[in-house]
Amino acid sequence: MNRFVVVLLLFFGCQVFAQSDTLAIKIRAKIVSATDHKVISGVTVINKTTSTTTVSDENGNFELLAHPNDVLFFSHIAYSFLKIEATSSWIATSNKQINLTE
């Protein structure tokens, strides 16, 4: 009986480790206005592929986990929405800046 419990615990332990997502990359970017380049706070950023959401802070910065080829959706009440595909080359750029138009 003890062996059965040990094997059962090992099986469930392997399931927990299998659920970790090591391919996701933390994306950091700043959101600014396309006309005057002022930062925009309160922009909703949605990863449409994984349904994760975040909001830009008072400096226009946000962080979000994404995989290559995920689709990111940017939305703010005073600006047009923007949809970006997070390609590998876009993810690799260090200083990302998102420009939203009014």
Side-chain angles (χ1 to χ4, degrees):
M1 182 66 178
N2 287 340
R3 289 184 183 174
F4 176 73
V5 172
V6 170
V7 170
L8 189 64
L9 289 174
L10 287 174
F11 176 73
F12 285 118
C14 291
Q15 289 293 335
V16 171
F17 288 116
Q19 297 299 321
S20 65
D21 190 4
T22 58
L23 298 176
I25 300 167
K26 185 179 286 190
I27 295 177
R28 294 182 178 124
K30 179 177 274 196
I31 304 172
V32 298
S33 172
T35 55
D36 57 8
H37 300 289
K38 291 184 179 179
V39 296
I40 307 171
S41 62
V43 176
T44 303
V45 183
I46 304 169
N47 183 335
K48 298 289 266 187
T49 309
T50 62
S51 299
T52 55
T53 304
T54 189
V55 178
S56 63
D57 64 11
E58 63 274 356
N59 297 320
N61 299 314
F62 75 92
E63 292 182 355
L64 184 69
L65 289 176
H67 297 87
N69 300 322
D70 280 359
V71 176
L72 304 180
F73 184 78
F74 300 86
S75 174
H76 190 276
I77 193 165
Y79 294 87
S80 298
F81 71 88
L82 179 66
K83 191 185 301 187
I84 294 178
E85 184 175 347
T87 61
S88 297
S89 60
W90 184 80
I91 290 173
T93 58
S94 58
N95 293 327
K96 294 175 198 63
Q97 182 171 307
I98 311 299
N99 298 313
L100 294 183
T101 57
E102 291 186 31

